Amino acid sequence: MSDDQPVSARPQAEDALFVRSLARGMSVLEAFQGADRALTLTQIAARTGLTRSAAQRLVHTFRKLGYLTLAEDGRGFRLDLPVLDLTHDYLRMNPLVRRASPILLELRRNVRERIDLSLFDGPRMVYAARMQSKRESFFATLVGNSVPTACTSGGWAVMALLLEPEVAALLEGARHPQLTPRTLTDPAAIRDQIAQARRNGHALALEQILMGEVALGVAIPDAAGRPVAAIHIAASLSEWDPEEFRRRMAPLAAEAVRSIVSG
């Protein structure tokens, strides 16, 4: 997200219960999505579509509440610790994350490779648990990091459980960034991967997010069979042949999913 890109407006149809002032306040916090440094009042106003004076009042309020703080150099604002408290509470109260956590820990002990739990959120998969390997960059290791659904093993596995019109809507409405030289951006090529995932019950991705990485994903359905999340197992291509990785990891990931669903 660029410094001048406004945050997407939330639906504001006629609704007697909709509190517009609260929505404007939340847009200030949302302005920090994707930011890699502190934001000035001018940048916050541009990202939210608010006037500078309105942004100033809301920033001041969030500073008083502890959710924003002045950057160390005094040239902008950044999120502060109470935001992380809310994130922790979300993860703590999410029943899927709670059920999955001990199963993922056991899976990590068995495979000795990186294990992820990602939540399906339309065009993106959001990491809710990450059990790391030594190869990861700092930002990639953070819970809350998200990647496009269309270029991940877990995303392909999730889309394999969707109806065809839903897949078409996702592929047509999504951006397809070239994250590595091998990232698939052609919808037809992505559909081929989804079809393979539908046949196999899992998806295998080679160097889609990170060069030198192989990743296997299995979707986690809810009680109605709708995909809500995925387990990923990722490793280095310097240590694994892709088909051997598939043979070794696919049954273990599938068993972990069965344990989560039945838990």
Side-chain angles (χ1 to χ4, degrees):
M1 180 183 290
S2 68
D3 288 343
D4 297 325
Q5 182 178 350
V7 174
S8 298
R10 290 191 178 276
Q12 295 188 17
E14 291 303 322
D15 185 343
L17 297 179
F18 189 86
V19 183
R20 292 175 183 268
S21 58
L22 177 59
R24 287 193 292 270
M26 292 305 300
S27 75
V28 168
L29 298 183
E30 292 172 347
F32 290 85
Q33 292 176 2
D36 57 5
R37 58 187 180 275
L39 299 179
T40 66
L41 277 176
T42 299
Q43 290 167 337
I44 292 171
R47 286 177 169 230
T48 59
L50 298 168
T51 65
R52 194 176 186 281
S53 61
Q56 184 178 35
R57 291 193 298 274
L58 290 167
V59 166
H60 175 76
T61 301
F62 280 124
R63 287 185 68 192
K64 289 292 186 181
L65 294 172
Y67 291 101
L68 293 179
T69 188
L70 190 65
E72 288 76 3
D73 62 5
R75 297 180 180 177
F77 304 91
R78 59 175 176 81
L79 300 175
D80 212 354
L81 276 173
V83 174
L84 193 58
D85 293 335
L86 296 178
T87 303
H88 173 260
D89 289 335
Y90 167 78
L91 294 172
R92 179 178 56 81
M93 297 176 69
N94 185 296
L96 174 60
V97 175
R98 293 178 65 176
R99 287 200 312 273
S101 293
I103 297 166
L104 296 176
L105 286 169
E106 183 62 25
L107 181 61
R108 176 67 176 82
R109 281 192 287 267
N110 287 338
V111 304
R112 298 178 180 272
E113 297 291 354
R114 194 188 82 219
I115 304 296
D116 299 325
L117 174 69
S118 61
L119 305 180
F120 176 45
D121 187 33
R124 64 179 187 157
M125 303 293 292
V126 183
Y127 291 109
R130 309 212 72 180
M131 299 174 188
Q132 296 306 314
S133 73
K134 59 183 178 294
R135 293 180 295 275
E136 300 302 309
S137 64
F138 168 66
F139 289 112
T141 67
L142 297 178
V143 168
N145 184 45
S146 65
V147 292
T149 300
C151 65
T152 67
S153 60
W156 295 341
V158 159
M159 288 192 285
L161 297 186
L162 296 177
L163 299 174
E164 181 53 36
E166 296 174 294
V167 173
L170 269 178
L171 294 182
E172 291 168 7
R175 294 186 308 109
H176 301 295
Q178 189 81 47
L179 300 178
T180 77
R182 296 192 64 182
T183 303
L184 298 181
T185 59
D186 177 14
I190 297 169
R191 284 180 181 277
D192 287 343
Q193 296 296 327
I194 296 169
Q196 290 183 39
R198 195 171 284 127
R199 291 192 298 270
N200 296 333
H202 63 264
L204 190 74
L206 302 178
E207 300 183 312
Q208 293 297 294
I209 301 295
L210 185 68
M211 289 301 293
E213 181 179 82
V214 56
L216 184 137
V218 178
I220 302 174
D222 63 13
R226 298 282 300 171
V228 292
I231 287 176
H232 309 245
I233 306 175
S236 172
L237 284 169
S238 67
E239 299 171 1
W240 286 93
D241 169 79
E243 288 307 315
E244 178 59 27
F245 185 77
R246 184 201 300 273
R247 286 191 293 272
R248 163 75 172 139
M249 301 302 175
L252 297 173
E255 178 58 33
V257 167
R258 285 191 291 270
S259 297
I260 292 169
V261 171
S262 64

